Amino acid sequence: MVPRIVNPLDEMLFREVLKEQQRIKVYIERARYGKLKTIIEGIDEKEFDLEEIAKKLKAKLACGGTVKKGRIELQGDHRERVKQLLAEYGFSEDLIEIE
């Protein structure tokens, strides 16, 4: 259980540290009819709003997508660009693994 932090500045710093510690895995899967989808998993859905992250990624990548079972699914192969965007959002680039 993560302790609740009262000071807003402390909470913001805590969230930044959490972002830097997330081990994120980015890979592709074949969807129906041979189409590709990029899967992003490993982001703690209790601490981060996956819907909001997915919304930002879909807008930047100009693609469709959804959040299912604690992971983000994007239409198409966007592995390299996703890594770059997640790093821009504050996640540690060293801990983002691409398969």
Side-chain angles (χ1 to χ4, degrees):
M1 184 80 185
V2 177
R4 290 300 335 133
I5 299 169
V6 179
N7 184 339
L9 181 59
D10 288 345
E11 186 166 346
M12 186 177 76
L13 292 172
F14 179 72
R15 288 183 62 76
E16 288 302 313
V17 168
L18 270 179
K19 273 186 178 181
E20 293 173 4
Q21 293 176 347
Q22 297 293 303
R23 289 198 165 282
I24 301 170
K25 187 174 172 184
V26 180
Y27 58 96
I28 57 171
E29 279 185 357
R30 287 224 177 262
R32 280 187 163 167
Y33 310 112
K35 295 184 185 248
L36 298 175
K37 58 184 176 180
T38 303
I39 309 297
I40 305 159
E41 51 183 41
I43 300 174
D44 186 359
E45 62 186 314
K46 292 180 181 106
E47 293 296 328
F48 301 101
D49 184 0
L50 293 183
E51 294 285 345
E52 186 63 31
I53 294 170
K55 183 178 175 181
K56 288 179 182 179
L57 290 171
K58 291 188 306 183
K60 286 281 191 176
L61 299 168
C63 69
T66 188
V67 175
K68 287 185 186 173
K69 302 175 192 169
R71 65 187 202 170
I72 298 172
E73 298 180 7
L74 301 172
Q75 295 172 351
D77 183 359
H78 301 286
R79 291 174 289 184
E80 291 299 326
R81 186 82 169 105
V82 163
K83 181 176 182 174
Q84 179 185 2
L85 290 171
L86 288 175
E88 287 177 18
Y89 298 153
F91 293 95
S92 174
E93 195 168 352
D94 297 335
L95 297 178
I96 301 172
E97 176 186 336
I98 296 181
E99 292 184 1

